[in-house]
């Protein structure tokens, strides 16, 4: 029963992605911390600390893949983390705030109900997966396979997320003559 | 077996990152083409043409009331480089002529920005900051304008404090 392990691995890779993006561009994350009211003063290093913490969380999730008990623990830690993010998002949205939330390290993505639903859905996914592992007494036979499958899931998800944008751009009627006229 | 698995992981990651970067590049090119279509090849300069008269009732009251020679720039609460610029400014002023900072934005980020700017800057808050910015045709943050006797005589992009210092001491070429 690999479902719980694959979900845990995928969420771990998501935090690797998010953490590295925050480490690469800590300013936006640091500003988001101020906007969310987590810290009072803007300091660039706070964004780096957040990125580093997410990477460490990912490492912890990957290390948990070898055992059923540790996977369940890791999944419920992720539920708590996503729940905390969702709480911050819902508080800011209810205040009517509008700023770049730096969610998963995405540059410039504004705060919106969509970001809240996404985070809540991930919390629910982690919770359901942990529950399934507990209820079904699932054993983890191939942790490395779950590790790889998690990477594939996140990679496919990241590419699929771009498809609506690509479809929109591919239907944009910019023609060669438009380009020549502008030059 | 482990090596094969690791190779597959690395291959997937590299492929994904390369594809995403390509998509991002397409997006950037699209934005640039759209800007070229709407604005043309000339750049839009924040602050307007050098030498133009800068004189409205608001400007007279809030800027010229300080001095006939004044430097003004805007910082936004949602601009992280603005926060870093404000923090990096020294505690002592660069020159005797007043420097005005228009603070735009809202919320806790604005409070953090206000706390970061040194005391020698003359701060103007919202909504006056936005109104003055419109009168000055200041369309971007971190662009400083030098105004002497009601005329725009200098402009510079101020990304680091030394840029502002150079403008105040008239050592840098104008943008």
């Amino acid at each position: 029963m690999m479902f719980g392990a694959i979900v845990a691995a995928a969420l771990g890779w998501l935090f690797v992605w998010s953490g590295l993006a925050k480490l690469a561009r800590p300013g936006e994350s640091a500003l988001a911390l101020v906007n969310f009211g987590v810290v009072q003063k803007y300091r660039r290093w706070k964004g780096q600390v957040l990125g580093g913490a997410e990477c460490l969380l990912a490492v912890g999730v990957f290390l948990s893949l070898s055992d059923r008990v540790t996977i369940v623990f890791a999944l419920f830690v992720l539920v708590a983390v996503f729940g905390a993010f969702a709480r911050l998002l819902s508080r800011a949205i209810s205040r009517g705030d509008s700023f770049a939330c730096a969610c998963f390290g995405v540059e410039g993505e504004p705060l919106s109900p969509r970001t809240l639903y996404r985070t809540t859905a991930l919390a629910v996914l982690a919770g359901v997966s942990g529950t399934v592992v507990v209820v079904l007494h699932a054993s983890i036979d191939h942790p490395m396979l779950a590790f790889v499958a998690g990477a594939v899931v996140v990679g496919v998800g990241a590419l699929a997320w771009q498809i609506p944008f690509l479809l929109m751009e591919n239907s944009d009627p910019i023609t060669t003559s438009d380009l020549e006229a502008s030059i | 077996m482990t090596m094969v698995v690791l190779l597959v992981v690395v291959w997937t990651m590299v492929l994904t990152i390369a594809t995403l970067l390509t998509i991002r590049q397409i997006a950037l090119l699209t934005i640039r083409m759209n800007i070229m279509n709407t604005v043309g090849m000339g750049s839009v300069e924040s602050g307007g043409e050098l030498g133009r008269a800068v004189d409205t009732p608001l400007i007279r009251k809030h800027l010229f009331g300080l001095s006939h020679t004044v430097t003004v720039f805007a910082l936004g609460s949602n601009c992280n480089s603005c926060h870093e610029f404000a923090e990096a400014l020294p505690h002592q002023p660069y020159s005797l002529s007043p420097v005005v900072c228009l603070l735009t934005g809202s919320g806790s980020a604005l409070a953090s920005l206000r706390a970061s700017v040194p005391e020698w800057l003359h701060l103007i808050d919202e909504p006056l900051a936005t109104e003055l910015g419109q009168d000055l045709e200041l369309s971007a943050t971190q662009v400083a304008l030098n105004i002497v006797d009601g005329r725009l005589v200098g402009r510079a992009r101020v990304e680091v404090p030394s840029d502002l210092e150079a403008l105040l001491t008239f050592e840098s070429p104008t943008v």
Side-chain angles (χ1 to χ4, degrees):
Chain A
M1 182 55 167
M2 297 291 294
F3 174 70
I6 292 173
V7 168
L11 294 176
W13 280 112
L14 204 57
F15 274 105
V16 169
W17 178 286
S18 175
L20 290 177
K22 287 184 170 72
L23 286 171
R25 289 186 308 273
E28 193 162 310
S29 307
L31 191 53
L33 286 172
V34 176
N35 279 317
F36 277 122
V38 175
V39 298
Q40 282 195 329
K41 289 211 83 175
Y42 170 93
R43 288 285 185 272
R44 195 176 165 84
W45 61 261
K46 293 176 184 176
Q48 291 169 327
V49 165
L50 183 60
E54 290 191 2
C55 288
L56 281 176
L57 178 62
V59 169
V61 169
F62 293 145
L63 290 175
S64 77
L65 291 177
S66 56
D67 182 72
R68 184 169 67 89
V69 172
T70 51
I71 282 187
V72 170
F73 178 73
L75 284 168
F76 284 109
V77 165
L78 290 174
V79 170
V81 170
F82 283 126
F85 285 152
R87 172 97 175 88
L88 288 174
L89 287 165
S90 67
R91 207 172 61 182
I93 290 170
S94 64
R95 278 197 309 250
D97 289 345
S98 174
F99 52 82
C101 70
C103 296
F104 301 110
V106 175
E107 199 177 350
E109 185 187 32
L111 199 61
S112 69
R114 196 177 97 151
T115 53
L116 175 60
Y117 300 151
R118 184 177 62 197
T119 304
T120 307
L122 289 171
V124 168
L125 178 64
V128 165
S129 305
T131 306
V132 163
V133 173
V134 168
V135 167
L136 296 181
H137 296 285
S139 63
I140 312 302
D141 297 322
H142 303 286
M144 188 55 89
L145 200 57
F147 180 74
V148 172
V152 171
V153 165
V154 170
V156 167
L159 289 172
W161 197 261
Q162 301 295 322
I163 288 175
F165 159 75
L166 285 171
L167 284 172
M168 187 182 71
E169 290 301 319
N170 276 287
S171 65
D172 190 334
I174 290 177
T175 64
T176 311
S177 59
D178 288 343
L179 185 58
E180 287 171 354
S182 67
I183 290 172
Chain B
M1 176 66 181
T2 308
M3 185 59 75
V4 170
V5 164
L6 281 172
L7 281 172
V8 169
V9 170
V10 169
W11 176 52
T12 309
M13 283 169 59
V14 169
L15 203 57
T16 303
I17 291 169
T19 307
L20 288 170
L21 287 173
T22 306
I23 292 170
R24 186 169 183 267
Q25 191 59 36
I26 293 169
L28 288 172
L29 287 170
T30 306
I31 289 167
R32 283 181 192 142
M33 286 201 307
N34 284 337
I35 289 171
M36 280 166 56
N37 279 338
T38 54
V39 170
M41 292 301 289
S43 60
V44 178
E45 303 234 46
S46 189
E49 199 179 329
L50 288 180
R52 75 179 185 95
V54 180
D55 193 1
T56 67
L58 268 181
I59 291 173
R60 260 181 258 129
K61 181 180 175 186
H62 294 283
L63 298 186
F64 300 158
L66 295 171
S67 169
H68 71 101
T69 300
V70 68
T71 301
V72 58
F73 62 91
L75 294 179
S77 64
N78 280 329
C79 148
N80 47 283
S81 61
C82 294
H83 285 261
E84 289 165 18
F85 176 77
E87 275 176 54
L89 286 170
H91 295 296
Q92 301 300 320
Y94 291 120
S95 72
L96 293 175
S97 59
V99 181
V100 175
C101 174
L102 309 179
L103 284 183
T104 63
S106 61
S108 42
L110 182 62
S112 173
L113 184 60
R114 190 183 291 113
S116 298
V117 293
E119 290 177 356
W120 51 270
L121 285 177
H122 295 267
L123 299 183
I124 293 181
D125 285 313
E126 294 284 36
L128 185 56
T130 297
E131 292 168 14
L132 268 172
Q134 285 166 353
D135 280 5
L136 291 164
E137 295 180 28
L138 200 55
S139 55
T141 55
Q142 292 180 273
V143 174
L145 307 180
N146 248 0
I147 302 168
V148 177
D149 293 329
R151 293 227 170 254
L152 179 65
V153 300
R155 169 179 48 225
R157 175 125 189 101
V158 289
E159 293 183 359
V160 291
S162 56
D163 294 338
L164 180 62
E165 183 182 13
L167 179 69
L168 288 169
T169 53
F170 302 103
E171 285 173 10
S172 74
T174 55
V175 171

